[in-house]
Amino acid sequence: MRIQHSSRRARAGGIVAAYVGAATLAGCANFTDIKAENQDMFMVSATGVSYTMSIPALTAAAKEKAYDFCGKQKMKADLRQLVRGWRPMQVELYFRCQPEGVSLQALLD
């Protein structure tokens, strides 16, 4: 009986830890709407709300927004330029959406 009690406690602790982790990550960044820049470039900006998110995690979140944006158009994101700032912790990501299977070299030829 004691073993069942401790396994329930461990399971409940794991569920609480997963919930807190998800809530922490979900509330760590604010994103701008994706903006059209010159030609076929787009930009998304992510700002860290608290210091629970690192610059690499903030960068990954901005990249995910770019991939999702292009994926909805059945295209892939071609990441171009990344600008990072520390006060406030912010990432600006510039990207293009390209058709699947098109390489940069094919566009240059």
Side-chain angles (χ1 to χ4, degrees), residues 50-62:
S50 68
Y51 290 103
T52 59
M53 184 176 241
S54 66
I55 285 286
L58 196 59
T59 301

Side-chain angles (χ1 to χ4, degrees), residues 42-45 62-63 66 79 81-83 91-95:
F42 298 95
M43 189 273 290
V44 64
S45 179
K63 287 179 181 180
L79 308 178
Q81 182 179 12
L82 180 67
V83 179
V91 169
E92 290 181 354
L93 179 64
Y94 294 85
F95 64 96

Side-chain angles (χ1 to χ4, degrees), residues 29-44:
N30 287 331
F31 294 94
T32 62
D33 290 334
I34 294 177
K35 300 175 189 169
E37 296 288 316
N38 58 359
Q39 297 175 352
D40 58 348
M41 294 286 286
F42 298 95
M43 189 273 290
V44 64

Side-chain angles (χ1 to χ4, degrees), residues 40 42 66-78 96-102:
D40 58 348
F42 298 95
Y67 292 136
D68 287 346
F69 178 79
C70 292
K72 288 178 183 175
Q73 301 173 41
K74 306 285 189 228
M75 302 178 100
K76 66 178 183 174
D78 179 21
R96 291 182 176 157
C97 294
Q98 293 184 343
E100 292 286 335
V102 175

